[in-house]
Amino acid sequence: RRVDLRVSPSNARGVAMARRLGFTLEGRLRDRQDSPSHLRGDLLSFSLLAADFPSTDAAALPIEAFDFLGRAF
């Protein structure tokens, strides 16, 4: 029902991709980093709701899903 995406504000391509695919910027998470292998810093939080998906550019893209063994489902 919902896809969340977090992007570093310095990642201009990631921010542009989120916007181009129809994600909505929900806010800036200050001094937040989800991975211990990355430096702490701000993250931008984007979301895409199932109800919004049909009207986005992302809806026109082919979607494939795979399990952790690489099998399509």
Side-chain angles (χ1 to χ4, degrees):
R1 301 190 56 162
R2 174 188 177 101
V3 176
D4 291 304
L5 178 65
R6 293 185 179 161
V7 182
S8 170
S10 64
N11 182 350
R13 291 178 127 189
V15 172
M17 183 258 334
R19 290 189 170 131
R20 188 170 52 251
L21 292 176
F23 282 75
T24 299
L25 176 63
E26 291 194 337
R28 186 179 196 113
L29 306 172
R30 299 180 323 138
D31 194 26
R32 174 85 174 257
Q33 191 55 260
D34 294 330
S35 172
S37 63
H38 291 92
L39 297 174
R40 289 190 68 83
D42 293 357
L43 290 173
L44 299 179
S45 180
F46 291 89
S47 68
L48 180 60
L49 302 178
D52 297 335
F53 180 74
S55 65
T56 67
D57 289 343
L61 298 173
I63 296 175
E64 296 180 87
F66 300 89
D67 66 13
F68 72 98
L69 295 175
R71 297 177 298 204
F73 63 92

